[in-house]
Amino acid sequence: MSNSYSALGRWFEYLNDDCGYEQWSQYLINTLKNLGAGRCGVDIGCGNGYFTRALIKAGYAVTGIDISPEMLTRAQELSFKQGVRGEFLLGDITKLKLNAAVDFAVAVNDCLNYVPPEKLKSAFSHVHRCLKKGGVFMFDISSAHKLTSIIGNNMFAEDREDITYIWFNTLKDDRVEMELTFFEKGKDGKYTRFDESHTQYIHSEENIIQELTLSGFEVRTEGHLGQDKTERINFICTRL
């Protein structure tokens, strides 16, 4: 992921405006409330910070964490623009360290698909250590079906007024390798090309549950927004 999000980091939230941000964030807020989670948390893999901002607006004290400096720069800009006092820090879920334990952690929209299978244990162990006893950890993954049958060996493209992208995906044994090309329109009307690569790993629900259990979590799963598991699986975990 060394060059991932160097270009997309500036445009991620804008290009994902059809993902149902408002409904998704309300699902997080309602689930945290129903679980009786405390008010202090972290948003891991926060991207451009939509969910961080939504949680803060709902009365939570949340820090956004992401591995991409470009993502965090845009998150700060959007937070300032919307008058939300958000803190955003550079960090990796597989090495996560906080100054103090928190009540909850969320990792939304494929964050764990970027973690190789051999590093899941490290990721979950680090999150476990950062949570208070009884703390909540919520995250999702794109399902094996989605990555193998919808994303893998497929191409996507979109042409907007200010940016155009082409996205090629190659399915491998345990992952999808993604090649993206962006054409970003400048103020002079000329376009600048950017290229970057991503890798998303295919995780089974069973393997993730096993690793979470071994790391000290009680786990339940459900489909996206509590509905269908076909394309996205949500993991709702409690630190024992």
Side-chain angles (χ1 to χ4, degrees), residues 36 40 57 64 72 104 119 126 157-158 214:
C40 180
K57 291 174 183 177
L72 294 171
F104 69 88
K119 291 188 177 182
H126 277 83
E158 186 173 4
L214 290 172

Side-chain angles (χ1 to χ4, degrees), residues 3-226:
N3 64 337
S4 294
Y5 293 114
S6 56
L8 183 56
R10 300 190 297 275
W11 295 94
F12 184 80
E13 190 170 308
Y14 172 70
L15 290 173
N16 278 271
D17 57 5
D18 61 349
C19 78
Y21 274 122
E22 186 173 350
Q23 185 181 12
W24 204 341
S25 59
Q26 194 58 53
Y27 166 78
L28 295 177
I29 292 164
N30 290 342
T31 305
L32 290 170
K33 182 179 179 180
N34 291 338
L35 291 170
R39 310 302 291 182
C40 180
V42 289
D43 179 9
I44 305 167
C46 68
N48 290 162
Y50 185 96
F51 298 108
T52 310
R53 299 193 307 274
L55 287 164
I56 292 172
K57 291 174 183 177
Y60 293 93
V62 184
T63 298
I65 298 172
D66 203 278
I67 200 169
S68 164
E70 292 81 9
M71 283 284 203
L72 294 171
T73 296
R74 184 59 177 156
Q76 290 278 17
E77 291 172 352
L78 290 171
S79 182
F80 179 78
K81 183 178 181 180
Q82 295 181 20
V84 177
R85 292 191 176 185
E87 182 181 21
F88 297 94
L89 303 175
L90 191 67
D92 181 342
I93 191 172
T94 66
K95 304 173 185 177
L96 186 65
K97 292 183 180 180
L98 302 176
N99 293 328
V102 294
D103 300 310
F104 69 88
V106 298
V108 190
N109 201 2
D110 297 346
C111 175
L112 270 297
N113 286 106
Y114 282 93
V115 178
E118 65 273 14
K119 291 188 177 182
L120 283 177
K121 181 177 180 180
S122 177
F124 296 150
S125 296
H126 277 83
V127 174
H128 186 275
R129 286 196 289 269
C130 290
L131 289 171
K132 297 176 182 177
K133 186 175 181 179
V136 175
F137 178 32
M138 294 177 60
F139 67 93
D140 62 82
I141 60 167
S142 282
S143 68
H145 167 75
K146 177 181 176 181
L147 289 175
T148 58
S149 301
I150 299 175
I151 303 297
N153 294 332
N154 207 346
M155 185 273 285
F156 303 89
E158 186 173 4
D159 181 23
R160 298 197 183 189
E161 178 64 27
D162 40 11
I163 189 167
T164 297
Y165 72 83
I166 307 171
W167 174 19
F168 294 96
N169 302 290
T170 303
L171 178 64
K172 302 290 186 178
D173 290 339
D174 65 342
R175 64 195 185 276
V176 175
E177 295 181 354
M178 305 172 173
E179 300 294 332
L180 296 98
T181 297
F182 300 89
F183 297 92
E184 184 177 326
K185 188 176 182 179
K187 293 181 180 179
D188 59 0
K190 296 180 180 179
Y191 286 83
T192 302
R193 174 175 172 168
F194 299 94
D195 297 280
E196 62 186 50
S197 302
H198 296 240
T199 299
Q200 286 201 12
Y201 294 90
I202 301 167
H203 299 305
S204 71
E205 180 179 355
E206 295 75 18
N207 184 58
I208 287 188
I209 290 174
Q210 181 180 32
E211 294 292 351
L212 285 164
T213 302
L214 290 172
S215 297
F217 287 100
E218 183 178 80
V219 189
R220 69 178 174 91
T221 66
E222 59 186 28
H224 186 48
L225 307 184

